[in-house]
Amino acid sequence: DYATLRAFLHSHSYTGNPLACRAALATLDIFETDDVIAANRVLAGAMAEAVAPLADHPHVGEVRQTGMIAAVEMVADRTARTPYPWQERRGLRVYRHGLERGALLRPLGNVVYLMPPYVITPDQVRWLAGVAAEGIDLATRD
């Protein structure tokens, strides 16, 4: 029950899964042969440009980014950085909008995360940020 504020938050690991371990080794091989980090820096720059306009949104308190992970925090009052009540589940609204548009966004409370794979293109990054912006617009209307 979401109202109890208790959840089983988990992530994924390769622990004990031979197929996943093999995929991880293949990924490490790609990192050795391709300049993945340089390409990632270009994509991270595209991400920064794509999410930058959200910093001016009237219901965004902060936009932050590390590499290819961007986080957009929705707030009820931008000046005071007053959060929305958690019971309103505004992040879930953004997530559902993303699904309707074919995008997978990650909400944690009132924070929406964009965590695309490294094979994304700059155009797709811009599209993903646009979908997030649409979702934030919809989720913050009242």
Side-chain angles (χ1 to χ4, degrees):
D1 181 9
Y2 189 79
T4 65
L5 293 177
R6 296 174 59 202
F8 176 60
L9 299 176
H10 67 285
S11 192
H12 306 283
S13 76
Y14 298 118
T15 305
N17 184 323
L19 181 58
C21 289
R22 185 64 204 117
L25 290 172
T27 300
L28 290 174
D29 289 343
I30 291 170
F31 270 73
E32 286 182 8
T33 58
D34 298 354
D35 198 353
V36 174
I37 300 302
N40 181 271
R41 285 187 186 110
V42 171
L43 288 170
M47 175 71 78
E49 289 176 15
V51 297
L54 284 168
D56 295 326
H57 191 284
H59 291 285
V60 169
E62 182 180 29
V63 176
R64 52 191 180 268
Q65 179 183 356
T66 299
M68 283 298 292
I69 300 173
V72 183
E73 182 178 356
M74 295 181 290
V75 293
D77 183 308
R78 180 184 173 90
T79 304
R81 298 258 328 247
T82 306
Y84 284 106
W86 62 267
Q87 297 90 339
E88 294 177 3
R89 302 191 75 179
R90 292 181 186 255
L92 182 61
R93 295 180 198 179
V94 178
Y95 167 79
R96 287 180 174 156
H97 172 75
L99 288 181
E100 288 173 8
R101 297 270 284 124
L104 186 58
L105 303 168
R106 173 77 161 114
L108 288 176
N110 291 321
V111 181
V112 178
Y113 288 85
L114 291 78
M115 301 184 300
Y118 290 178
V119 295
I120 197 168
T121 67
D123 284 341
Q124 291 168 328
V125 167
R126 288 185 282 278
W127 173 81
L128 185 63
V131 171
E134 292 169 2
I136 290 167
D137 281 340
L138 292 170
T140 58
R141 287 184 188 161
D142 281 336

